[in-house]
């Protein structure tokens, strides 16, 4: 009855007249959120417009809100740098493989820790969760990776990050929100633990799996410290590590690109205008763009996945 009255009120064409206080609150709300959105978006916008503007103007800090003397030669020049595409393939590979491992292990452990039949369930859960707070340090970790023959090995990007206690806890809490009657009914029908997990739990907990996948993928894509610690072979360098080196050696790369003679005369003349700032801005856009393009498509899973995965009930 209440919904019917509301529909009749809307169809009557009568509009609710806001009071002066309501209008003031609405205006303040729009202003605050607009400023917040601007603060979040502007750094990415600033980097992009500086990457396509005149290198000399960008170097002097003259490009603030609008691009000036637009050109895209910076991207053509950066793409010529040796090892960039190989680093991209390594980063893409670790992101895909590492995300699959992390999502599966987090979901499976989270599910198993909800099974009362698991031997020592509470002990093992606390044992795994304790690793969130205690760390042996870099040197013992490096020695461990060396003894496991993971240095200069692609799997050093995947195996150490395959199990995350935080993601495991999110999955465990999400699984606990699923009615036990589903598992009990499957058990009565003869389904085993693995059958229940793959056939019942995985389809139900898709929101938290998508959330864990995005978090893991972003972490894998942005990681560079493991490359710095464990990798010396250039063929295993990640894109983020290349970015790290480029930012620290932008002046040297500028000289390299300015000395390049490949390409047409126009490209060569623009390459001579390369600056340290243009290199930093351009490579940053190249590295950050994939995450910015993929992230919005999975954002709709965050609300349901995080809220249910973080609060039981």
């Amino acid at each position: 009855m209440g919904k019917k009255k509301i529909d009749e009120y809307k169809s009557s064409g009568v509009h609710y007249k806001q009071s002066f206080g309501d209008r003031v609150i609405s205006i303040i709300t729009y202003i605050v959120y607009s400023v917040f959105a601007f603060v979040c978006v502007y750094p990415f916008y600033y980097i992009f417009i500086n990457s396509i503007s005149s290198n000399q103007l960008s170097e002097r800090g003259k490009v603030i809100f609008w691009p000036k003397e637009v050109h895209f030669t910076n991207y053509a020049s950066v793409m010529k740098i040796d090892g960039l595409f190989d680093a991209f393939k390594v980063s893409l590979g670790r992101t895909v493989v590492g995300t699959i491992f992390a999502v599966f292990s987090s979901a499976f452990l989270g599910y198993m820790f909800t099974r009362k039949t698991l031997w020592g369930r509470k002990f093992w859960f606390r044992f795994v969760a304790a690793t969130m707070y205690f760390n042996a340090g870099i040197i013992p970790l490096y020695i461990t990776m060396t003894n496991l023959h993971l240095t200069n090995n692609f799997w050093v990007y995947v195996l150490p990050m395959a199990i995350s206690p935080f993601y495991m806890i999110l999955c465990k809490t999400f699984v606990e929100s699923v009615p036990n009657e589903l598992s009990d009914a499957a058990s009565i029908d003869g389904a085993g633990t693995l059958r229940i997990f793959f056939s019942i739990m995985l389809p139900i907990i898709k929101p938290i799996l998508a959330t864990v996948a995005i978090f893991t993928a972003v972490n894998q894509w942005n990681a560079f410290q493991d490359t710095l610690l464990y990798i010396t072979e250039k063929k295993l360098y990640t894109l983020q590590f290349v970015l790290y080196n480029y930012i620290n050696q932008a002046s040297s790369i500028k000289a390299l690109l300015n000395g390049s003679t490949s390409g047409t005369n126009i490209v060569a003349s623009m390459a001579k205008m390369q600056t340290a700032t243009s290199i930093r801005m351009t490579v940053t856009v190249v590295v950050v763009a994939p995450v910015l393009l993929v992230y919005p498509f999975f954002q709709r899973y965050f609300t349901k996945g995080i809220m249910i995965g973080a609060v039981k009930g």
Side-chain angles (χ1 to χ4, degrees):
M1 187 66 181
K3 185 177 183 299
K4 183 177 179 181
K5 289 185 177 180
I6 293 175
D7 294 337
E8 291 177 354
Y9 177 77
K10 290 181 178 179
S11 61
S12 65
V14 179
H15 299 283
Y16 171 71
K17 185 177 181 180
Q18 287 185 327
S19 65
F20 176 76
D22 292 336
R23 288 197 296 270
V24 171
I25 292 176
S26 298
I27 293 173
I28 293 175
T29 301
Y30 282 123
I31 292 175
V32 170
Y33 280 103
S34 298
V35 172
F36 181 75
F38 175 79
V39 170
C40 293
V41 173
Y42 178 73
F44 300 102
Y45 174 74
Y46 176 81
I47 292 173
F48 176 70
I49 63 175
N50 274 271
S51 69
I52 63 174
S53 297
S54 168
N55 296 334
Q56 305 304 319
L57 295 177
S58 177
E59 182 74 11
R60 297 198 300 267
K62 300 296 184 179
V63 181
I64 304 298
F65 292 105
W66 307 107
K68 299 179 180 180
E69 301 180 19
V70 176
H71 67 91
F72 295 91
T73 310
N74 289 336
Y75 292 94
S77 299
V78 167
M79 294 302 175
K80 299 175 186 176
I81 298 175
D82 292 336
L84 194 67
F85 285 104
D86 291 336
F88 175 81
K89 289 187 291 185
V90 173
S91 290
L92 182 63
R94 71 171 293 177
T95 299
V96 174
V97 178
T99 299
I100 293 173
F101 270 71
V103 170
F104 177 79
S105 62
S106 299
F108 186 71
L109 286 177
Y111 165 70
M112 290 304 298
F113 284 135
T114 63
R115 304 289 293 180
K116 296 181 180 180
T117 56
L118 177 65
W119 176 80
R121 178 170 62 100
K122 294 183 178 179
F123 168 77
W124 291 115
F125 174 74
R126 292 169 182 171
F127 183 81
V128 175
T131 60
M132 294 177 60
Y133 309 102
F134 301 100
N135 192 310
I138 294 178
I139 295 177
L141 185 60
Y142 179 81
I143 295 174
T144 301
M145 296 302 166
T146 302
N147 293 335
L148 293 175
H149 304 289
L150 288 178
T151 54
N152 286 322
N153 191 323
F154 173 80
W155 291 102
V156 76
Y157 296 138
V158 177
L159 297 181
M161 301 178 65
I163 298 177
S164 171
F166 175 69
Y167 299 148
M168 178 204 69
I169 293 173
L170 287 182
C171 292
K172 175 180 178 294
T173 310
F174 197 105
V175 171
E176 288 174 343
S177 67
V178 177
N180 293 328
E181 288 77 4
L182 293 175
S183 299
D184 295 340
S187 298
I188 293 174
D189 292 337
T193 300
L194 293 179
R195 181 65 182 272
I196 295 174
F197 174 70
F198 285 104
S199 301
I200 297 178
M201 286 300 166
L202 281 184
I204 294 177
I205 64 175
K206 282 182 179 179
I208 195 64
L209 296 182
T211 303
V212 172
I214 282 297
F215 285 166
T216 304
V218 172
N219 289 336
Q220 285 280 10
W221 182 263
N222 290 333
F224 72 93
Q225 290 184 339
D226 45 8
T227 307
L228 183 64
L229 291 174
Y230 310 123
I231 303 297
T232 57
E233 296 182 5
K234 290 186 177 181
K235 65 179 182 179
L236 292 175
Y237 283 177
T238 61
L239 195 61
Q240 285 293 348
F241 183 72
V242 172
L243 171 62
Y244 170 79
N245 285 334
Y246 285 178
I247 290 177
N248 290 334
Q249 304 171 9
S251 298
S252 301
I253 296 170
K254 175 191 69 175
L256 175 65
L257 292 178
N258 288 344
S260 176
T261 58
S262 60
T264 62
N265 294 332
I266 296 177
V267 173
S269 63
M270 295 300 293
K272 293 179 180 179
M273 298 172 58
Q274 292 289 340
T275 64
T277 301
S278 68
I279 296 297
R280 292 190 182 99
M281 298 296 181
T282 305
V283 177
T284 301
V285 172
V286 170
V287 173
V288 173
V291 176
L292 293 179
L293 294 176
V294 173
Y295 197 87
F297 294 100
F298 292 87
Q299 187 177 5
R300 62 193 181 96
Y301 293 103
F302 286 175
T303 301
K304 185 176 180 181
I306 290 297
M307 291 302 294
I308 299 180
V311 180
K312 181 179 179 181

